[in-house]
């Protein structure tokens, strides 16, 4: 049975089309929604979380229509993309308060919040104000509020954005564990390798249309044909560059304020290497690795032509 | 997630509103807007303190338009000039229009609208938090002004009027807040519309003979005031001349109607609008 099903789903913003005639069935388990910025991922996410009403077509989540059906959120957890919080609350207060909106009494909501915060490894910072959190911690507390009520379906919009490599690895592992435990997860990203590390079941979206779906391992080969750009934020850019240049797949390195940008022909091996470097701590902290979505554009152009 | 718990039933509308109230009250009380609220309500307290010092010194008797006035009369004027004409409508506009608009602007609305509670309950819960937050700040300010200005010997005689002042101010805050909660839920630029209503439409309507004033909140709030309306300007003199005083029960009923209808329409607006389009 599909957990999310849309039929001829379209959304227009005035004259602009955000999503165009999308018919897709997302099965239970972990599914990646992959596409560059502006592809329609966010519109799709907002439609399946009932924040937008379809202009045309239908969308059903867990077998029920989602627009105007708040009771369904008892079974859904949503981690939005935006970096927005009640900054004056502590992480624990915030997650407890949001869990309370599911009908839990105060003590149960507090327990649920504590479990969720522990799952995202934020217990030590739980009683600090969210305003003092780093970007990665803010991402994790967002995940905590999504899982606190232990939903059947988790919808995660760019959940790894802003996390350092080690936390990325742990979060990916955690998402896979949730999947193994029976929670269905729909996770969006513009980075294929992030998605691939969680699942092989991918929905590819571009220009408001579904370009491909299913087990799309062959997309990987396409990616490998195009050099892949990765931006690394670190205080010891030169030392990290020296280390990475020894790698076979690295095509070029240039320095940016706050870090370096590397072009690699072997992204899988490269990501693993950077994560290991971060874990070793030999070159100080590696704060963030990001991948611009133009890596995907060439692949999408190829798929659309095909 | 293994060991998925038996989830409670989704909260009812009322239970959802109470949960949102609890979440919002603290946020509202400790927000920057409350600093503004404290400044606004602190001004009449400061002036009352100055008046008390002047009165107490006995050097210069307090006079208005050349006539000596007692503390009770000054208190009545302050209720009109500061609280009725300015503080209550302005707080209604600033808080009421922001109940939903602030969450949309801060992009935190997503967290509330992806919960198993009706969106209308979010609006009502936040509205209740507004009513509690503003009355908790405004009414103590009125109490301070009263006890600073009115000599203890006059308290027994003026206490009923004072209690009526507190009640009408709370009712005014509730009515303006509900009306502007509706405006905030339904319109894209609610603050401008709210200010135009209070300082444009209401001022004009109160000057026009006939029925226009019945489409203002001020008409019914002013109808409950136990003090004489001060004539401190041309507009105020004209408003005083053209004023008709509906009975108190009619004013209370009308204000309760404003609250009920505005909230009902606000709930409908909030449940049908796609707020993420505004972000």
């Amino acid at each position: 049975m599909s957990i999310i099903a849309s039929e001829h789903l379209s959304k227009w913003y005035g004259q602009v089309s955000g999503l165009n005639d999308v018919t897709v069935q997302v099965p239970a388990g972990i599914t990646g929604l992959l596409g560059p910025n502006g592809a329609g991922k966010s519109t799709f996410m907002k439609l399946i979380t009932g924040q937008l009403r379809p202009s045309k077509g239908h969308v059903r989540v867990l077998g029920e229509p989602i627009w105007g059906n708040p009771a369904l959120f008892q079974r859904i957890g949503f981690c939005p993309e935006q970096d927005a919080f009640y900054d004056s609350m502590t992480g624990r207060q915030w997650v407890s308060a949001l869990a309370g909106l599911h009908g839990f009494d105060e003590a149960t909501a507090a327990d649920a919040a504590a479990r969720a915060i522990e799952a995202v490894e934020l217990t030590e910072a739980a009683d600090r104000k969210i305003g003092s959190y780093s970007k990665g911690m803010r991402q994790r507390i967002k995940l905590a509020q999504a899982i606190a009520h232990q939903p059947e379906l988790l919808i995660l919009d760019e959940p790894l954005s802003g996390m350092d490599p080690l936390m990325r690895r742990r979060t990916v592992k955690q998402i896979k564990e949730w999947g193994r435990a029976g929670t269905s997860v729909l996770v969006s990203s513009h980075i294929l390798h992030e998605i691939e590390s969680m699942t092989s079941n991918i929905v590819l979206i571009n220009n408001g249309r579904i370009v491909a779906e299913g087990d799309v391992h062959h997309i990987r080969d396409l990616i490998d044909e195009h050099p892949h750009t990765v931006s690394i934020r670190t205080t010891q850019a030169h030392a990290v560059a020296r280390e990475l240049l020894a790698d076979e797949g690295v095509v070029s390195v240039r320095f940016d304020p706050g870090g370096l940008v590397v072009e690699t022909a072997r992204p899988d091996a490269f990501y693993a290497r950077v994560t290991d470097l971060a874990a070793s701590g030999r070159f100080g902290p590696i704060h963030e690795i990001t991948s611009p979505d133009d890596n995907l554009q060439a692949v999408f152009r190829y798929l659309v032509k095909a | 997630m293994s060991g998925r718990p038996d989830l409670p039933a989704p909260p009812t509308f009322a239970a959802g509103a109470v949960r949102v109230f609890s979440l919002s009250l603290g946020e509202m009380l400790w927000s920057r807007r409350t600093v503004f609220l404290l400044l606004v309500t602190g001004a009449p307290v400061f002036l009352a303190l100055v008046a008390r010092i002047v009165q107490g010194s006995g050097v210069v008797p307090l006079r208005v338009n050349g006539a000596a006035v007692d503390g009770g009369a000054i208190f009545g004027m302050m209720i009109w000039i500061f609280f009725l004409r300015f503080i209550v409508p302005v707080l209604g506009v600033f808080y009421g229009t922001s109940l939903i608009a602030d969450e949309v602007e801060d992009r935190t609305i997503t967290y509330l609208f992806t919960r198993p509670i009706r969106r209308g309950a979010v609006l009502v819960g936040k509205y209740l938090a507004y009513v509690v937050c503003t009355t908790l700040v405004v009414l103590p300010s009125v109490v301070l002004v009263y006890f600073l200005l009115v000599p203890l010997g006059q308290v027994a005689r003026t206490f009923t009027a004072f209690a009526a002042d507190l009640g009408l101010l709370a009712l005014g805050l509730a009515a303006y807040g509900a009306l502007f909660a509706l405006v905030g839920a339904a319109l894209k630029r609610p603050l401008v519309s709210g200010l135009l209503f209070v300082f444009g439409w209401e001022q004009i309507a109160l000057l026009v003979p006939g029925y226009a004033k019945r489409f203002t909140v001020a008409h019914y709030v002013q109808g409950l005031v136990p003090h004489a309306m001060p004539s401190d300007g041309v507009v105020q003199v004209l408003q005083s001349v053209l004023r008709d005083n509906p009975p108190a029960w009619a004013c209370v009923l009308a204000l309760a109607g404003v609250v009920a209808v505005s909230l009902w329409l606000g709930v409908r607006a909030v449940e049908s609008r796609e707020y993420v389009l505004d972000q």
Side-chain angles (χ1 to χ4, degrees):
Chain A
M1 181 199 148
S2 56
I3 50 159
I4 297 167
S6 75
E7 270 181 60
H8 305 293
L9 183 64
S10 298
K11 184 66 193 176
W12 300 298
Y13 305 107
Q15 301 290 314
V16 181
S17 168
L19 206 66
N20 195 354
D21 199 31
V22 165
T23 297
V24 69
Q25 307 246 332
V26 177
I30 302 177
T31 300
L33 179 67
L34 185 69
N37 290 331
K41 292 194 304 291
S42 283
T43 300
F44 186 70
M45 287 285 191
K46 283 168 183 150
L47 283 161
I48 63 170
T49 50
Q51 297 178 78
L52 288 175
R53 182 170 30 198
S55 305
K56 197 179 152 214
H58 309 279
V59 61
R60 294 178 82 83
V61 180
L62 300 171
E64 295 180 37
I66 184 77
W67 173 260
N69 185 8
L72 198 49
F73 285 105
Q74 198 69 315
R75 300 164 63 194
I76 300 171
F78 178 48
C79 175
E81 182 185 14
Q82 68 258 27
D83 186 46
F85 301 89
Y86 300 129
D87 281 341
S88 61
M89 293 177 98
T90 68
R92 190 186 303 281
Q93 286 169 338
W94 187 62
V95 178
S96 289
L98 292 179
L101 297 180
H102 288 266
F104 295 117
D105 60 51
E106 209 171 307
T108 314
D111 285 347
R115 264 197 314 272
I117 288 169
E118 193 183 347
V120 298
E121 300 178 40
L122 260 184
T123 302
E124 277 181 26
D127 296 310
R128 269 171 51 194
K129 291 197 169 173
I130 299 176
S132 71
Y133 282 9
S134 68
K135 178 85 193 295
M137 290 161 90
R138 290 158 81 92
Q139 282 295 106
R140 280 144 66 196
I141 203 73
K142 267 196 308 189
L143 273 174
Q145 63 79 32
I147 61 168
H149 57 292
Q150 304 199 21
E152 290 168 51
L153 169 62
L154 261 177
I155 300 173
L156 312 176
D157 199 354
E158 302 269 2
L160 304 182
S161 154
M163 286 186 185
D164 64 46
L166 290 177
M167 193 40 70
R168 252 170 214 247
R169 183 184 273 180
R170 284 188 213 151
T171 306
V172 166
K173 193 174 157 217
Q174 181 71 73
I175 290 172
K176 285 161 86 172
E177 276 172 20
W178 292 332
R180 272 195 293 273
T183 304
S184 291
V185 185
L186 178 69
V187 55
S188 81
S189 175
H190 63 272
I191 303 169
L192 177 63
H193 301 274
E194 270 183 14
I195 297 282
E196 266 198 317
S197 59
M198 297 177 221
T199 180
S200 59
N201 188 38
I202 298 174
V203 175
L204 282 170
I205 187 169
N206 194 32
N207 289 331
R209 289 176 180 277
I210 301 296
V211 183
E213 60 180 293
D215 190 341
V216 284
H217 267 115
H218 68 278
I219 298 293
R220 235 183 131 273
D221 302 330
L222 291 171
I223 287 282
D224 286 350
E225 284 172 19
H226 301 89
H228 191 88
T229 309
V230 180
S231 174
I232 301 170
R233 206 154 61 78
T234 173
T235 47
Q236 297 193 37
H238 286 86
V240 172
R242 258 196 312 278
E243 188 73 13
L244 292 176
L245 274 169
D247 278 17
E248 209 175 288
V250 171
V251 177
S252 72
V253 173
R254 68 185 158 80
F255 295 98
D256 256 8
L260 65 158
V261 177
V262 182
E263 235 184 5
T264 173
R266 296 175 53 196
D268 281 352
F270 182 79
Y271 278 108
R273 177 93 177 101
V274 174
T275 305
D276 289 342
L277 272 187
S280 75
R282 276 198 294 144
F283 303 105
I286 290 179
H287 300 290
E288 195 180 352
I289 49 173
T290 52
S291 176
D293 63 10
D294 51 358
N295 289 323
L296 275 181
Q297 295 290 7
V299 178
F300 281 113
R301 275 197 295 274
Y302 173 88
L303 285 167
V304 171
K305 269 189 223 160
Chain B
M1 264 157 266
S2 57
R4 189 166 285 125
D6 289 332
L7 288 171
T12 59
F13 188 97
V18 170
R19 303 268 173 162
V20 174
F21 166 79
S22 312
L23 171 63
S24 305
L25 185 61
E27 278 294 297
M28 216 174 261
L29 279 172
W30 302 112
S31 68
R32 270 173 295 183
R33 195 171 269 112
T34 306
V35 177
F36 163 75
L37 171 61
L38 285 170
L39 286 174
V40 166
T41 53
V45 176
F46 175 74
L47 285 176
L49 187 64
V50 171
R52 174 66 182 260
I53 292 167
V54 170
Q55 208 173 21
S57 69
V59 178
V60 190
L62 284 171
R63 290 177 179 279
V64 174
N65 295 333
V69 288
D70 64 5
I74 296 175
F75 174 71
M77 287 176 63
M78 289 183 86
I79 287 289
W80 270 102
I81 294 169
F82 284 100
F83 291 97
L84 285 180
R85 289 189 192 147
F86 185 71
I87 292 176
V88 168
V90 163
L91 292 185
V93 171
F94 277 92
Y95 276 87
T97 56
S98 70
L99 294 180
I100 294 293
D102 270 8
E103 298 273 355
V104 173
E105 197 178 313
D106 296 343
R107 296 182 300 163
T108 46
I109 195 83
T110 308
Y111 299 113
L112 301 177
F113 282 180
T114 53
R115 303 288 154 190
I117 52 173
R118 279 179 56 187
R119 291 175 172 205
V122 172
L123 179 75
V124 172
K126 292 184 78 69
Y127 167 75
L128 293 175
Y130 148 80
V131 172
V132 171
C133 176
T134 51
T135 50
L136 274 179
V137 179
V138 172
L139 297 196
S141 154
V142 177
V143 172
L144 281 175
V145 171
Y146 177 76
F147 282 107
L148 280 170
L149 288 175
V150 179
L152 281 177
Q154 289 179 24
V155 167
R157 183 167 55 81
T158 57
F159 193 79
T160 311
F162 169 60
D165 286 329
L166 294 179
L168 75 92
L169 291 175
L171 204 51
L173 285 167
Y176 275 111
L179 180 66
F180 295 119
L182 163 64
V183 172
L187 302 182
K188 274 196 176 166
R189 295 191 190 284
L191 185 58
V192 176
S193 312
L195 290 172
L196 282 175
F197 179 87
V198 166
F199 294 112
W201 165 249
E202 285 211 320
Q203 300 309 314
I204 294 165
L206 291 174
L207 279 174
V208 178
Y211 293 106
K213 54 175 71 74
R214 294 187 185 180
F215 296 99
T216 67
V217 176
H219 175 63
Y220 302 105
V221 179
Q222 291 181 4
L224 292 169
V225 186
H227 313 284
M229 187 183 199
S231 303
D232 52 332
V234 178
V235 171
Q236 285 70 32
V237 170
L238 284 171
Q239 285 179 350
S240 169
V241 169
L242 294 165
R243 187 175 171 216
D244 57 32
N245 270 331
W249 65 265
C251 293
V252 172
L253 212 61
L255 291 171
V258 168
V259 171
V261 172
S262 299
L263 285 182
W264 180 70
L265 290 172
V267 165
R268 286 178 63 99
V270 92
E271 294 200 338
S272 59
R273 230 177 119 191
E274 297 168 290
Y275 286 96
V276 288
L277 295 179
D278 299 344
Q279 291 173 358

